[in-house]
Amino acid sequence: MENTPLFWLVFNAFVIGLLLLDLLVFNRKSHEIKLREALGWSVFWVVLSLSFNLLVYRTMGSQAGLQWLTGYLVEKALSVDNLFVFLLIFNYFKVPGQYQHRILFWGVLGALVLRAGFILVGGALLAKFHFLIYLLGAFLVYTGVRMGLSGDQPDIDPENNPIVRFLSRHLPITRQMEGGKFFVKRDGLRFATPLFVVLVMVETTDVVFAADSIPAILAITQDTFIVFTSNVFALLGLRAMYFALASMMRLFHYLHYGLSLILIFIGGKILLESVLPIPMPVALGVVGGLLVLSVAASVVWPKESVKS
């Protein structure tokens, strides 16, 4: 597999094709995604992602294959925090289930563009100024500690969100949903709908989460190809994972602490690289083990509110 302009053209065309197929064929009509459909799509995206990982493994070697899989797992795991915030946003704005897929579709599309910029800039800086890798490691340790101390409830206040307040001041917004539309025309004027406000919140929330997840993957490898493609495949399955886990996310109350430990581990791996290098298979095992343990702990020791 060659990292050439032709590859990037084909790869991005493939991704855009998948997204258009999803929007214009399989989900052309707005409908609420049920658990069975969500699980089916989740399996599809995971199988597609692992197939690409196998291609990377066979064409670029075992080290690249393990780096890709580790980056994919880290992004997938950190996405769970995104999903919980999305659930809170949808509940706060009372977004009907049949429109949630549409918002997440455009949210993921925007996230792909924004993260591509983050990855290109971050990769270029690390390649030119290698000492920044240690600052990156320290940042991940700090972020992991902060995440662990913050508890399992994300800090979100849509009413006082600066983006929402800015939109409310500078953009005419309808009081009610207008079907699945983001904009409507009334008396010759264009109005935004509450659905557009929700989309903007989803996009800005992803920017905040990307500040954690992109450095975490860049800490595993600075290969732009591996970082970007693993990120893309993790994001492509984000919508299906949301609908599959929406009713179960509150059960995984220890997962937040598992993610915190993963960030601390990756940051520590960087800081100790010259003293205690950790092989990639071991790193992959630690990341996977922390995920499994945090989910298992959530099931074995559920919250009192969940039990009742």
Side-chain angles (χ1 to χ4, degrees), residues 54-74:
L54 181 61
L55 185 62
V56 171
Y57 185 92
R58 289 191 171 181
T59 57
M60 299 177 65
S62 59
Q63 182 74 1
L66 288 173
Q67 288 175 343
W68 196 97
L69 183 58
T70 306
Y72 174 77
L73 283 178
V74 167

Side-chain angles (χ1 to χ4, degrees), residues 67-137:
Q67 288 175 343
W68 196 97
L69 183 58
T70 306
Y72 174 77
L73 283 178
V74 167
E75 177 60 41
K76 207 74 169 166
L78 291 173
S79 293
V80 176
D81 256 14
N82 298 43
L83 300 183
F84 191 78
V85 173
F86 294 164
L87 180 63
L88 292 179
I89 293 172
F90 288 156
N91 287 342
Y92 179 86
F93 286 97
K94 297 180 174 59
V95 179
Q98 66 264 35
Y99 303 136
Q100 292 179 10
H101 179 275
R102 178 177 169 80
I103 292 174
L104 291 177
F105 173 88
W106 291 108
V108 166
L109 190 60
L112 289 173
V113 175
L114 290 170
R115 289 178 183 229
F118 282 160
I119 291 167
L120 290 173
V121 172
L125 286 174
L126 290 174
K128 192 168 185 178
F129 307 105
H130 183 70
F131 71 91
L132 290 176
I133 193 72
Y134 297 106
L135 293 179
L136 184 61

Side-chain angles (χ1 to χ4, degrees), residues 93-96 99 172-184 186 191-198:
F93 286 97
K94 297 180 174 59
V95 179
Y99 303 136
I173 302 173
T174 62
R175 291 184 175 274
Q176 296 179 335
M177 298 283 179
E178 301 287 340
K181 297 177 181 178
F182 294 126
F183 294 94
V184 292
R186 287 183 177 172
F191 285 75
T193 69
L195 214 61
F196 176 74
V197 177
V198 175

